[in-house]
Amino acid sequence: NAGVMQNPRHLVRRRGQEARLRCSPMKGHSHVYWYRQLPEEGLKFMVYLQKENIIDESGMPKERFSAEFPKEGPSILRIQQVVRGDSAAYFCASSPSGAAGTATGNTIYFGEGSWLTVV
Amino acid sequence: EDKVVQSPLSLVVHEGDTVTLNCSYEVTNFRSLLWYKQEKKAPTFLFMLTSSGIEKKSGRLSSILDKKELFSILNITATQTGDSAVYLCAVRTSGGSNYKLTFGKGTLLTVNP
């Protein structure tokens, strides 16, 4: 039973380039979340998506960041024109339904993260 | 704004010691508190707590929630080097944003042989 799969695990980009991070949720999960972990900070919610819909993007910077979860294929977090402050670990998580943590069977599961370094 | 504070931020112990990690929170419409273990990769789920005073146990790990005083503790007895990790506490609220977890900064536990 494959868990949440993220790639790439590590990504180095120069300032001004684009970063694309991919996430395939666990089998049977249709709800995807992206969290960002800055150095020595806790995980911060960025965006919540269901298939073809963005439900809540309140934690995502208004500029340069976008996310999608198409009908087919993985969820993508896209960062345009990266800056040094974007260097962080980006974690994707999934759950069977949207009320994450309501019951043991609906716990949110995390991927291993994508570490973005902007040089 | 919802807030989760963990203490200590880091802790170094010897194998066999018992440790207690703390998590306090200030949130509106509390629903549940979750503990995760993170070892330089995916945070892995440990416990979910919704009711005060009911201890959850899994092997050498146990956790309890106090909804009156707004905190939880995670105990690890007879620590092993494999327990070395960052332990994350997160809170979920009820209502419109019940899918969102608010995390603390974590406690870095190092267990030396």
Side-chain angles (χ1 to χ4, degrees):
Chain A
N1 181 20
V4 178
M5 304 300 291
Q6 289 188 247
N7 69 85
R9 290 294 312 281
H10 299 275
L11 182 63
V12 179
R13 283 286 177 267
R14 294 186 187 280
R15 279 179 295 171
Q17 290 186 318
E18 179 179 288
R20 280 190 181 225
L21 311 178
R22 289 174 289 278
C23 169
S24 295
M26 282 182 74
K27 189 176 179 181
H29 289 192
S30 57
H31 299 252
V32 165
Y33 317 81
W34 285 93
Y35 283 77
R36 177 165 68 172
Q37 188 173 37
L38 292 166
E40 300 185 11
E41 292 288 326
L43 281 84
K44 302 277 189 209
F45 169 83
M46 298 182 73
V47 61
Y48 162 39
L49 311 108
Q50 295 177 28
K51 282 284 186 185
E52 300 184 275
N53 287 305
I54 297 174
I55 307 302
D56 181 352
E57 55 184 349
S58 60
M60 206 151 65
K62 297 281 186 282
E63 296 178 354
R64 303 187 297 106
F65 284 72
S66 62
E68 62 177 11
F69 189 16
K71 188 176 179 182
E72 302 290 337
S75 175
I76 307 281
L77 180 67
R78 184 181 176 206
I79 312 171
Q80 294 178 289
Q81 299 175 317
V82 295
V83 301
R84 288 231 170 98
D86 297 332
S87 296
Y90 291 84
F91 287 91
C92 174
S94 71
S95 66
S97 76
T102 50
T104 304
N106 196 27
T107 301
I108 186 171
Y109 292 91
F110 284 85
E112 297 202 342
S114 290
W115 266 258
L116 172 65
T117 302
V118 179
V119 297
Chain B
E1 187 180 322
D2 295 339
K3 193 161 70 168
V4 176
V5 178
Q6 292 186 246
S7 64
L9 288 182
S10 66
L11 188 56
V12 180
V13 300
H14 290 290
E15 267 193 315
D17 288 350
T18 293
V19 298
T20 299
L21 310 182
N22 304 291
C23 175
S24 63
Y25 59 91
E26 290 178 31
V27 301
T28 50
N29 301 317
F30 172 86
R31 178 75 176 98
S32 57
L33 185 145
L34 296 90
W35 283 97
Y36 289 85
K37 178 182 181 183
Q38 186 179 21
E39 299 170 89
K40 291 192 183 290
K41 48 183 183 177
T44 52
F45 173 77
L46 294 174
F47 298 112
M48 184 178 73
L49 302 146
T50 55
S51 302
S52 278
I54 298 174
E55 188 184 47
K56 293 266 181 122
K57 289 199 76 169
S58 176
R60 296 177 292 103
L61 278 67
S62 63
S63 184
I64 198 160
L65 174 68
D66 185 328
K67 288 166 74 172
K68 184 180 174 187
E69 299 297 329
L70 308 183
F71 78 91
S72 172
I73 58 172
L74 175 68
N75 277 322
I76 309 175
T77 58
T79 51
Q80 302 171 357
T81 55
D83 295 327
S84 296
V86 174
Y87 290 84
L88 300 170
C89 172
V91 169
R92 189 179 75 82
T93 56
S94 55
S97 298
N98 62 0
Y99 46 81
K100 197 183 295 188
L101 296 175
T102 300
F103 282 87
K105 291 185 179 183
T107 294
L108 172 61
L109 174 66
T110 303
V111 181
N112 290 324

